[in-house]
Amino acid sequence: DAGTAQDLTFISGKLITTNTNILIIGGATIVNGASNNSFADGPVRKDGSQTFVFPVGKGSVYAPVRISNFSGANGSTQFRAEYFSANPDPLYSRSSKDATITNVSFCEYWILDRLSTAATVKVSLSYNAARSCGFTSFTSLKICRWNGTRWVDHFNDNLGPAGFVTSSANVTSFSPFT
């Protein structure tokens, strides 16, 4: 557990985590240095309600996910994130989707879970052409979430930080995202 009001700096190599041996980042901990050379390969849990970028990836791919704009959070707010450099199909059918979604990624997805409280957040997924199916148009990207039967459109606010696509409103349910 990285505790509160501490720094966690990634310098070199991967921190291999599992659901049993998870990296827990608490409170106002600041995470620095995550990159393709150094990140958490596996799930990471964030405690607290501060805007946060999960330093996650898989293999040699760093693919952070960001949560922000907390609403309804309290002292026991927890989220867990993990990245998968894989096609979400057949676990989460790419053909079952809202009519407003043209295509669902066949390259990558994230599991983002809310572990406690009823907090809602804006979700921001990182992207780049090399790992994200070779897309060319940021404005055509959307946040999509699997709701158990289909991919639901959470749109794109077109205002997220550089390298991220952000949901247009707070997300109230959590599951796989792409």
Side-chain angles (χ1 to χ4, degrees):
D1 183 356
T4 60
Q6 299 181 36
D7 289 348
L8 172 62
T9 302
F10 286 86
I11 297 170
S12 178
K14 311 302 183 296
L15 179 60
I16 307 300
T17 64
T18 66
N19 284 326
T20 304
N21 296 303
I22 193 167
L23 172 63
I24 301 168
I25 300 173
T29 299
I30 297 170
V31 176
N32 297 297
S35 68
N36 279 333
N37 297 318
S38 188
F39 55 82
D41 187 330
V44 172
R45 189 179 93 196
K46 170 65 171 117
D47 294 352
S49 57
Q50 300 79 15
T51 294
F52 185 72
V53 177
F54 288 89
V56 295
K58 196 70 76 186
S60 62
V61 176
Y62 172 55
V65 58
R66 178 179 186 261
I67 54 176
S68 62
N69 199 46
F70 284 76
S71 178
N74 63 36
S76 63
T77 298
Q78 297 177 341
F79 284 87
R80 179 182 57 219
E82 184 171 3
Y83 172 74
F84 297 88
S85 180
N87 187 340
D89 209 10
L91 293 174
Y92 317 106
S93 173
R94 292 179 54 241
S95 62
S96 181
K97 60 189 185 309
D98 285 354
T100 55
I101 300 170
T102 305
N103 292 301
V104 173
S105 173
F106 59 87
C107 302
E108 61 187 352
Y109 66 99
W110 292 257
I111 301 290
L112 176 62
D113 292 319
R114 176 180 56 201
L115 302 178
S116 63
T117 75
T120 65
V121 295
K122 279 194 169 189
V123 174
S124 302
L125 304 177
S126 62
Y127 65 89
N128 70 45
R131 71 153 215 268
S132 303
C133 297
F135 75 91
T136 57
S137 173
F138 165 74
T139 57
S140 67
L141 292 176
K142 297 179 175 195
I143 297 285
C144 300
R145 179 186 56 82
W146 180 255
N147 74 354
T149 58
R150 73 180 194 289
W151 291 98
V152 176
D153 193 345
H154 286 279
F155 303 96
N156 176 350
D157 75 358
N158 292 312
L159 302 171
F164 287 86
V165 59
T166 301
S167 60
S168 61
N170 277 23
V171 175
T172 59
S173 296
F174 296 85
S175 53
F177 286 86
T178 196

